[in-house]
Amino acid sequence: MKYYVSILLLLCFSADFCIGQDLQKIDSLKLALSYATSDTMRVLIYEKLMTTEPERQKKIEYGLLGFELAKKNRYAKGTLLCGNQVAWALSQEEYYRAIPIFMETKQVAELTNDKEALAFALRGLGYSFSKYDKPKGLSYYYRCKNLMEKEGFSEDKLVISLLIGMWHKENKKYLDSALFYLNKSYQLALKSPTYSYKPNEHLRYFGQVYYQKGQYKIALDYFKQAIANHSGENQFSYRYIALIFRDQNQLDSSKFYAQQSLEAQTILKPSADLIQTTTLLCELYKNDNPAKALQYLLLANATKDSLFNQDKIRQANKLNLEEQEREASIKRRIEAHQTDFENKIKIYALLAILLGLSILAFLLYRNNKNKQQANYLLHRQKQEIDLQRDKAEKALSELKATQSQLIQSEKLASLGELTAGIAHEIQNPLNFVNNFSEVSRELLEEVLEERKKEKGVRDEELIDELLSDLSQNQTKINHHGKRASSIVKGMLEHSRTNTGEKVLTDLNTLVDEYLRLSYHGMRAKDKTFNADYEFIADPNLPLINVVPQEIGRVLLNLINNAFQSPLSYKEGTPPTKKVTVRTFYIKPNDKDHKGSVMAHISDNGAGISTDILPKIFQPFFTTKPTGEGTGLGLSLSYDIVTKGHRGSLEVESVEGEHTTFIIKLPI
């Protein structure tokens, strides 16, 4: 017999318990209930009977039996299972009975930390309170929604988005919010086959919202789709179609659909839908058929009296007050517990302080003996630190002196290169002046000899030709003399004592001068030097406010480095070194609001190794042999551009191919 009972109970609680029909299931569950040996088992069977029973009243009866039995035995899981389900069944029509049950399941769920059951209870309280206290109902809905989002619960069973959307729909003030939440629920229904509400069951709710917004055509389409899809509660859709036709003064159509709505309510039990339909029919018939209108009015009033009597309202208010008192009581218990806990903490803290003072006294006593030794050690350490500090200060002073000497050496080296460039640059026009003056002297002697001849013997045509050549030579002498003068004038301007004052400067002119000076300086230092150079100037370059001497020093350093970089000897490399300088104008844009100018100094040398590329702007870093470079040229150039002119100096290099230094100066 016990074996039979065990097998029967196992079948009752199997997820795929398939006897065939609901009645067979109910009979089997009742049989299992008669053989159940514990109250816990009976509670679970009652819960199964409640979910299987199709008749509402019996469903509620089984649920209440399981709920009371679970409470009696303090069976938390059974209390939550039966309580939430029976309260939800009651909330559809008897919300005043559902609220206290939901309050109890909410409290049990909080005590047992059952988040899912708590979410069900909060949803039920929101639905029940929305019947008569809408703000309180919405607050419970949002508490449920926040809990679900925090815990990552699915909406398949709770459909909280749909309930919030319906709340906004019924409130009629927040129709956009209603559409938002209803559409969210609709999308979830489309994606999840287990969602409690099918997609077509949302259609009548969309229709009602659009009716309230006055968009009758859209609303009518939704209601007709709801009826065509058999989405349930067609009386709802028929009534709103009747309202649309009434508002458009099509009274016959309105009466027809209102009658359809009434007929769709096959069982005329008290409900809000029945009240609204009969009230609408009373309004439609009051002018042409007062007797029929009176009949509908009486039906509406009788339904109201049954559905909204004062006892129910008073009972709901009483429950509301009881809930507030219960929450206040819980709050007081929590505060008392908190106070007790704080008092215990204070006592423990006092004991800890006393213990700490005792330990401190012991430590002070023990450490007092070692105080002199510790002071002696500290004194020795201080003397050692002072000695090391003096050595460090001396080393720093020597380093600063060495740095100053190196910077001066770098400046003198730059000056020597500049001087060599000037001398070589000015040598060309002076050679032209000397050569043409010598030729002019010889031409003048020939003219004088020819003039000494008698008139008949003198060759006037030759004299004219010689004088013409002489005139051309004088023109060339004048031209190259002015060129030499302009070179000297320009170099004098750039070699004046640097006042540090910024002036408007043409970067193209500055680059052209220092490119030629660098080239000729290299030629002057090394007769075997062989290189090409090219300057590609941007004609639209605006004037910039800089210190010309400092920017000139930067250009000279970078161009000299470009000329001095070693060539790559791999196959395909050009045999001759070439330095290319380009200038660019960057117009104002989102990143550079005032605009800027740029100079790219490129060479076709062997490039810079990726290992040393990050170090090239560091002071004293150089790849030249010892004694040939101080390692300050690029460091000084970087400081001049970035700190002195708020610009940027960057380098791009591909080893074995090229190196490009990029100067960017703000306008």
Side-chain angles (χ1 to χ4, degrees), residues 56-57 60 87 89-99:
R56 178 179 178 275
Q57 200 56 43
I60 291 173
L90 286 167
S91 67
Q92 310 303 311
E93 297 179 8
E94 301 174 274
Y95 61 86
Y96 50 90
R97 292 179 63 191
I99 289 175

Side-chain angles (χ1 to χ4, degrees), residues 635-649:
S635 173
L636 289 172
S637 299
Y638 185 83
D639 288 344
I640 289 170
V641 173
T642 58
K643 297 178 181 178
H645 293 80
R646 296 185 179 180
S648 65
L649 177 58

Side-chain angles (χ1 to χ4, degrees), residues 617-658:
F617 292 122
Q618 294 178 5
F620 308 111
F621 179 81
T622 180
T623 58
K624 296 178 182 179
T626 304
E628 293 187 15
T630 62
L632 290 172
L634 288 177
S635 173
L636 289 172
S637 299
Y638 185 83
D639 288 344
I640 289 170
V641 173
T642 58
K643 297 178 181 178
H645 293 80
R646 296 185 179 180
S648 65
L649 177 58
E650 300 175 354
V651 61
E652 296 177 354
S653 182
V654 177
E655 194 169 0
E657 293 185 11
H658 68 84

Side-chain angles (χ1 to χ4, degrees), residues 12 66 123 155 161 179 182 211 235 324 397 576:
C12 289
R123 181 197 63 162
E155 283 200 32
S161 294
L179 285 175
L182 287 173
Y211 168 76
Q235 73 273 13
Q324 292 177 358
S397 176
T576 304

Side-chain angles (χ1 to χ4, degrees), residues 188-316:
L188 290 170
L190 288 174
K191 295 176 182 178
S192 174
T194 60
Y195 198 72
S196 297
Y197 277 73
K198 303 304 178 188
N200 58 0
E201 294 178 319
H202 292 70
L203 298 174
R204 63 179 182 273
Y205 301 135
F206 284 119
Q208 186 179 359
V209 174
Y210 281 108
Y211 168 76
Q212 292 170 350
K213 289 170 74 71
Q215 299 179 24
Y216 294 151
K217 186 177 183 307
I218 301 175
L220 192 59
D221 288 341
Y222 273 115
F223 288 128
K224 288 182 177 179
Q225 288 181 53
I227 293 170
N229 283 278
H230 304 290
S231 60
E233 298 189 21
N234 283 344
Q235 73 273 13
F236 183 95
S237 300
Y238 282 129
R239 185 176 74 253
Y240 269 92
I241 294 175
L243 289 171
I244 292 172
F245 283 120
R246 182 204 64 182
D247 294 346
Q248 295 177 340
N249 205 26
Q250 300 180 34
L251 299 182
D252 290 338
S253 297
S254 180
K255 291 175 184 177
F256 172 78
Y257 282 105
Q259 289 288 352
Q260 291 289 103
S261 175
L262 189 61
E263 291 173 7
Q265 300 183 47
T266 54
I267 302 175
L268 297 180
K269 59 183 179 180
S271 68
D273 282 344
L274 182 59
I275 294 171
Q276 292 171 0
T277 303
T278 52
T279 302
L280 175 60
L281 284 165
C282 176
E283 177 190 343
L284 293 171
Y285 281 105
K286 69 180 179 181
N287 292 327
D288 56 356
N289 194 341
K292 203 168 188 177
L294 179 60
Q295 178 185 350
Y296 288 125
L297 178 61
L298 292 173
L299 180 57
N301 288 337
T303 306
K304 287 180 183 177
D305 290 341
S306 175
L307 195 61
F308 302 114
N309 60 66
Q310 293 300 318
D311 289 339
K312 292 179 180 179
I313 295 174
R314 282 196 296 271
Q315 189 173 357

Side-chain angles (χ1 to χ4, degrees), residues 540-545 584-598 645-646 664-667:
N540 299 319
L541 214 63
L543 298 179
I544 55 173
N545 203 27
F584 302 91
Y585 170 43
I586 300 175
K587 295 181 179 179
N589 52 46
D590 292 339
K591 294 182 179 179
D592 192 347
H593 298 293
K594 294 185 179 180
S596 56
V597 296
M598 298 179 70
H645 293 80
R646 296 185 179 180
K664 184 177 181 182
L665 297 169
I667 296 177

Side-chain angles (χ1 to χ4, degrees), residues 67-86:
F67 177 63
E68 294 298 333
L69 186 60
K71 283 202 305 178
K72 179 182 175 182
N73 288 275
R74 296 184 180 180
Y75 177 31
K77 181 181 178 182
T79 303
L80 295 173
L81 280 172
C82 295
N84 275 335
Q85 291 193 54
V86 74

